[in-house]
Amino acid sequence: MSHDHDHNHDNELDPFAARVRALETILTQKGLIDPAAIDVIVDTYETRIGPRNGARVVAKAWADADFADWLRRDATAAIGSLGYTGRQGEHMQAVFNTPDTHNLVVCTLCSCYPWSVLGLPPVWYKAPPYRSRAVIDPRGVLEEFGLMLPADRKIRVWDSTAELRYLVVPMRPDGTVGWSEERLADLVSRDAMIGTGLARQPA
């Protein structure tokens, strides 16, 4: 059925985005939210907060032994010294992968996640299958991510809470001696800092 009017339709939006747009419009019209404030929040998470922050933390730990030691002892302060603080990052612990132990992070209760260094959590991190199976069958879960670890490597699972969140520091790849921190950071993925992946190998 056709109709004539002077407004645009959001037909290009998927159903979820259309619902969000509709909700934002209603709340704005009722004066309950400020669109400018929403824009600031979106810009923050698009340009200032995200896994690149965590990658810089890992790269600095790889390149600076003193910083790595600080990160082990007081991750909150060490990460804060780089300016990565704020909501969901107030209390941090860094866990370091070694040839003997691989670390994996999950939040079994909900989706606690270190926003200040990793940005917003991926959908699978919040999904019940990951949250339940990561503690029951971590090796099987990692294999589904394509990560096959040696049978003798221990997997330690860390359960995030609202009071304490974790950052996995993957092992530094071979062949990166003398690299700058910025170049090293390119080898660190979000998944490596959750523990469902490893650092990328140099090309």
Side-chain angles (χ1 to χ4, degrees):
M1 182 175 68
S2 64
H3 54 281
D4 297 324
H5 44 224
D6 60 359
H7 66 265
N8 296 322
H9 284 232
D10 291 329
N11 292 338
E12 76 280 3
L13 300 177
D14 63 61
F16 183 80
R19 285 197 293 272
V20 171
R21 177 73 61 81
L23 181 61
E24 181 181 349
T25 299
I26 292 169
L27 293 174
T28 299
Q29 290 174 345
K30 289 182 176 293
L32 298 175
I33 62 172
D34 179 357
I38 298 295
D39 289 344
V40 170
I41 293 171
V42 170
D43 178 70
T44 296
Y45 283 97
E46 285 185 346
T47 63
R48 295 176 49 209
I49 297 176
R52 188 70 183 173
N53 291 353
R56 291 192 181 101
V57 172
V58 171
K60 188 168 185 64
W62 284 347
D64 183 338
D66 289 338
F67 182 80
D69 180 61
W70 188 13
L71 192 62
R72 284 189 179 88
R73 291 184 286 103
D74 187 349
T76 305
I79 293 170
S81 73
L82 300 181
Y84 309 140
T85 60
R87 190 178 180 192
Q88 309 291 335
E90 299 91 341
H91 306 289
M92 295 287 302
Q93 180 174 336
V95 290
F96 288 67
N97 285 348
T98 71
D100 298 322
T101 302
H102 181 86
N103 295 287
L104 176 67
V105 179
V106 65
C107 177
T108 56
L109 291 178
C110 49
S111 58
C112 296
Y113 191 76
W115 292 7
S116 58
V117 288
L118 295 185
L120 297 176
V123 172
W124 54 260
Y125 184 84
K126 298 180 286 185
Y130 176 78
R131 289 160 44 199
S132 60
R133 293 188 55 235
V135 292
I136 298 171
D137 180 22
R139 194 172 296 274
V141 168
L142 292 179
E143 289 177 357
E144 291 175 10
F145 277 90
L147 180 54
M148 311 295 180
L149 296 176
D152 60 351
R153 186 170 300 175
K154 182 174 67 175
I155 301 174
R156 185 165 185 182
V157 180
W158 299 84
D159 195 357
S160 284
T161 68
E163 287 75 33
L164 184 62
R165 293 172 170 79
Y166 299 93
L167 175 72
V168 174
V169 180
M171 288 188 289
R172 178 172 178 166
D174 294 334
T176 59
V177 175
W179 283 32
S180 68
E181 291 180 18
E182 199 64 19
R183 192 178 177 194
L184 288 169
D186 289 337
L187 301 178
V188 184
S189 68
R190 176 201 64 195
D191 288 6
M193 293 182 283
I194 298 174
T196 55
L198 302 176
R200 302 183 184 96
Q201 294 300 309

